[in-house]
């Protein structure tokens, strides 16, 4: 089965983003000493990716995408977005020992319209 990345929640991600997410997962799987909270990116790319496995759902990951750019005036800026994806066709990345699950992003969001208690 060919590896695939499916967006579950968040803004649009490009095909290049999907390939980069698969590369980061493969890197973290092969390099057990790597920092799971680190940001990784391709050489020459303005985007960096941080991938954290969801401890409750196998195959789901929280991904932080950081993009650095310059405004029309040349001032440096940074845009950070969080997306949740489901990955199929590759061996799943297990949570690292000693990694607190509370730092993993959660796909569950509170209901804004629920009655306040």
């Amino acid at each position: 089965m060919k590896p695939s990345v499916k967006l579950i929640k968040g803004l649009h991600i490009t095909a290049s983003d999907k390939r980069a997410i698969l590369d980061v997962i493969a890197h973290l799987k092969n390099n057990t000493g790597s920092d799971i909270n680190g940001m990784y990116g391709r050489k020459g790319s303005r985007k960096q990716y941080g991938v954290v496995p969801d401890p409750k759902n196998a195959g789901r990951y929280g991904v932080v995408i950081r993009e650095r750019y310059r405004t029309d005036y040349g001032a440096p800026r940074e845009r950070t977005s969080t997306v949740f994806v489901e990955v199929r066709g590759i061996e799943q990345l297990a949570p690292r020992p000693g990694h607190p699950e509370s730092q993993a992003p959660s796909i569950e969001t509170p209901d804004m319209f629920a009655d306040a208690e």
Side-chain angles (χ1 to χ4, degrees), residues 82-104:
T82 303
V83 297
F84 296 93
V85 297
E86 184 174 37
V87 178
R88 295 182 182 163
I90 62 170
E91 184 180 335
Q92 304 305 320
L93 181 63
R96 302 289 174 140
H99 178 69
E101 292 182 1
S102 62
Q103 291 182 2

Side-chain angles (χ1 to χ4, degrees), residues 8-114:
I8 296 175
K9 184 177 181 181
L11 297 176
H12 174 77
I13 56 176
T14 64
S16 178
D17 291 335
K18 292 177 182 181
R19 287 190 297 271
I21 291 168
L22 289 173
D23 289 345
V24 170
I25 292 171
H27 173 76
L28 290 174
K29 206 177 337 174
N30 294 334
N31 300 320
T32 56
S34 296
D35 181 18
I36 196 163
N37 291 327
M39 298 294 284
Y40 300 93
R42 294 182 173 184
K43 184 177 180 180
S45 175
R46 293 178 292 172
K47 290 186 178 181
Q48 293 180 327
Y49 303 87
V51 178
V52 179
D54 186 357
K56 296 178 184 174
N57 300 314
R60 290 192 178 179
Y61 298 89
V63 180
V64 176
I65 302 173
R66 183 185 322 156
E67 181 179 8
R68 294 183 179 171
Y69 64 98
R70 291 193 175 268
T71 64
D72 292 340
Y73 297 104
R77 295 283 188 251
E78 186 175 287
R79 179 181 306 128
T80 303
S81 61
T82 303
V83 297
F84 296 93
V85 297
E86 184 174 37
V87 178
R88 295 182 182 163
I90 62 170
E91 184 180 335
Q92 304 305 320
L93 181 63
R96 302 289 174 140
H99 178 69
E101 292 182 1
S102 62
Q103 291 182 2
S106 175
I107 195 168
E108 299 161 2
T109 56
D111 186 8
M112 293 178 9
F113 302 108

